[in-house]
Amino acid sequence: MVGFLIQRLLQAAVVMVVISAMVFVGVFAIGNPIDVLISPDVTQQIRLDTIKAYGLDQPLWRQYLTFITRLVQGNFGRSFVFNMPVLDLILSRLPATLELTLAAVLGAALIGVPLGMFAGYRPDSIAAKLLMGLSVLGFSVPTFWIGLILILVFAVNLGWLPAGGRGATVSVLGVEWSFLTLEGLKHLLLPALTLSLFRLALMIRLARAGMREAILSDYVKFARAQGLSEAKVIWGHVLKNISIPIVTVFGLEFGATLAFAVVTETIFSWPGLGKLIIDSIQSLDRPVMVAYLMLVAFLFIMINFVVDIAYAALDPRLRAGRA
Amino acid sequence: MTQPVLEVAGLATHFFTREGVVKAVDGVDLSVARGKVLGLVGESGSGKTVTGFSLMGLIDPPGKIVAGSVKLAGRELVGLSPDAMRQVRGRQIAMIFQDPMMTLNPVLRIGTQIAMALRAHETLSNAEARRRVAAALGRVGIPSPEERLDAYPHQFSGGMRQRVAIAIALINRPDLIIADEPTTALDVTIQGQILSEMQKLCRERETALIWITHDLSVVAGLADAVCVMYAGRIVEKGDVRAVLERPLHPYTIGLIGSIPSHNRRGVPLRQIPGMTPSLLRLPAGCPFRTRCPRADAACVNDIPPQIIDGREVRCVHVNAMSAA
Ligand SMILES: Nc1ncnc2c1ncn2[C@@H]1O[C@H](COP(=O)(O)OP(=O)(O)OP(=O)(O)O)[C@@H](O)[C@H]1O
Ligand SMILES: [Mg+2]
């Protein structure tokens, strides 16, 4: 296990170095932030001074070296636009995105997996067919459209829920959370629902496929032959067996939603990371872009790591090669 | 003879598929006494497994028991409520399957799985459950059972897994065990060990055993009585020695004739000509008549089982044959 951890850590370090170089070059190619940062009518001297102050006069490889050296010291640099440390900026936006993502993906899993299991258990029932039809909708309708319709119905026409923003937040350990207040929850509901519909459809399909396969297997027949109740057969035997693909997709979707909830955050003016990255691309705020993309890569590495550990916990056969 | 613990009469299980009604089991009568072994033989698709599952009440749609009675220790099982039937399964009738690689849940510990079988019928403390589970494993010949409780199925060989399945079947001391070809997937030495252990365990506890198999030599060594199945019916039934040594039904004769060891070397093996008829379109009368060397116009009528030479046979020609 310790060997496995060390191996994974080394892998992660290599991946992060490669990603940082790719991101740095990629962001460099997008455009020169100087044109955005300085108004065109300042003197040539001020212009040169500013370029020098941001280190933009250096060749790319030197800028990268400076960046990496500072990074190793835990310094991501300062945002050109917000003029504050990038790390602080990102950490101040992360909780909003985190709670939105958690609500959407966890909600989709907690509702979708039981529904999918039911649909796989009674595939010929009307409810199961209805669920399958709805899940096709969940796959094919674009997220932004769902968001707009939800706003139109629940915020504009019915006036039950707010159309945007985070609402009141409560500070826990210095971090602001919406889900702890009723008003915050109301604000959270529509964007979380928008984000979750696709994931819900995915979870339903996955759980249904797993259930249909499991229900025909010998171990389920054998469990029934022992006189186990259907509840014990399903929750005691089947669930753990079908959870590996579910956990995999959960991890991937969690990472993807966390990193790319941009559209939904924009529609609902949710002050999260997605909005921050869109703003910083528009203003060519390089340090923010670089740090954000690296954070995303880091999150994916962490999520995959946790998923691998979950595999080992779920399936003993995967533990063997790891001792 | 003692009062049989299991009495099956006129059992019929049909599958209502899109292509038509599959009469997988069609009027089966059989009985087993305590501590006795009944061999159920017949070619692939003859309905042996469906018979076993029917006794367990585990026929899933589109299948259904359409007629007949299954009496266990005098109590009628056909028509019991699902929950009452669940309580019979595992506690009064247990079943062991063919492929030990598939019957255990790969992600649960051996001890957990056995304990689940135990707890389906009894409430007990963790310590007590663990003790009983270890004892059950020890009884089927698994060395140092306490240490093996926390193992997973993939850490066991096929033979060991089948022993675990047997331990699960035995743990609630059922009246009847249905073993559906449990040694087919194992090599010959392990097969022999498991056979003799099952025999011993069932004899000790007076458990009745139905042993489903293709292998007539297993039946010869293990069973007291034998039922020969063909296309959902029992064509010949009786004491194992009598049936194997002096088979009467043409199908039984063909089956025994096609065992390699019964033929001299160099002489081509005899086979039963033709194929198993589709259960969707069974011919009227005797289902075997399309492949039977003795078939004639008389076979078109339905034949009730008749008692000849101390056994039940379903063939119109047997009378003349045995008289001769
Ligand atoms: N769910 C089902 N739907 C339709 N037909 C079925 C179903 N289950 C079984 N049958 C049919 O019932 C017949 C008997 O099957 P069964 O499994 O009992 O045969 P068997 O004697 O156990 O054969 P084997 O020796 O190969 O195990 C087969 O023709 C099979 O096609
Ligand atoms: Mg079978």
Side-chain angles (χ1 to χ4, degrees), chain B residues 51-130:
Chain B
T51 304
F53 277 119
S54 302
L55 302 185
M56 300 287 295
L58 278 178
I59 297 293
D60 287 325
K64 195 174 183 295
I65 297 180
V66 291
S69 116
V70 175
K71 275 206 175 113
L72 187 75
R75 178 176 177 221
E76 178 61 54
L77 299 186
V78 175
L80 277 189
S81 74
D83 193 58
M85 197 59 219
R86 180 191 73 70
Q87 290 179 29
V88 170
R89 280 197 289 274
R91 197 173 57 179
Q92 288 185 278
I93 313 181
M95 191 157 174
I96 308 167
F97 297 167
Q98 174 171 351
D99 190 351
M101 297 305 190
M102 311 295 288
T103 44
L104 297 177
N105 188 335
V107 302
L108 295 181
R109 293 177 200 279
I110 298 287
T112 312
Q113 299 193 47
I114 309 179
M116 278 170 99
L118 192 57
R119 290 198 151 126
H121 303 285
E122 271 178 74
T123 329
L124 6 98
S125 71
N126 285 340
E128 173 69 1
R130 213 175 154 81

Side-chain angles (χ1 to χ4, degrees), chain B residues 15 17 22 24 42-51 62 181 214 279:
Chain B
F15 290 90
T17 65
V22 178
E43 63 193 9
S44 200
S46 55
K48 306 180 297 290
T49 298
V50 173
T51 304
E181 310 193 43
H214 291 114
L279 293 178

Side-chain angles (χ1 to χ4, degrees), chain A residues 217-230 232 236-238 240-241 313-317 319-320, chain B residues 53 56 58 60 86 89-90 93 95-97 102-108 113 116-117 120-121 152 154 165 168:
Chain A
S217 67
D218 269 10
Y219 74 84
V220 164
K221 282 196 195 124
F222 192 51
R224 286 182 175 153
Q226 294 157 21
L228 296 195
S229 63
E230 283 302 283
K232 285 226 178 80
H237 277 282
V238 174
K240 201 172 174 198
N241 246 290
L314 288 169
D315 193 337
R317 288 166 297 186
R319 271 171 237 169
Chain B
F53 277 119
M56 300 287 295
L58 278 178
D60 287 325
R86 180 191 73 70
R89 280 197 289 274
I93 313 181
M95 191 157 174
I96 308 167
F97 297 167
M102 311 295 288
T103 44
L104 297 177
N105 188 335
V107 302
L108 295 181
Q113 299 193 47
M116 278 170 99
H121 303 285
Y152 287 94
H154 73 276
I168 289 177

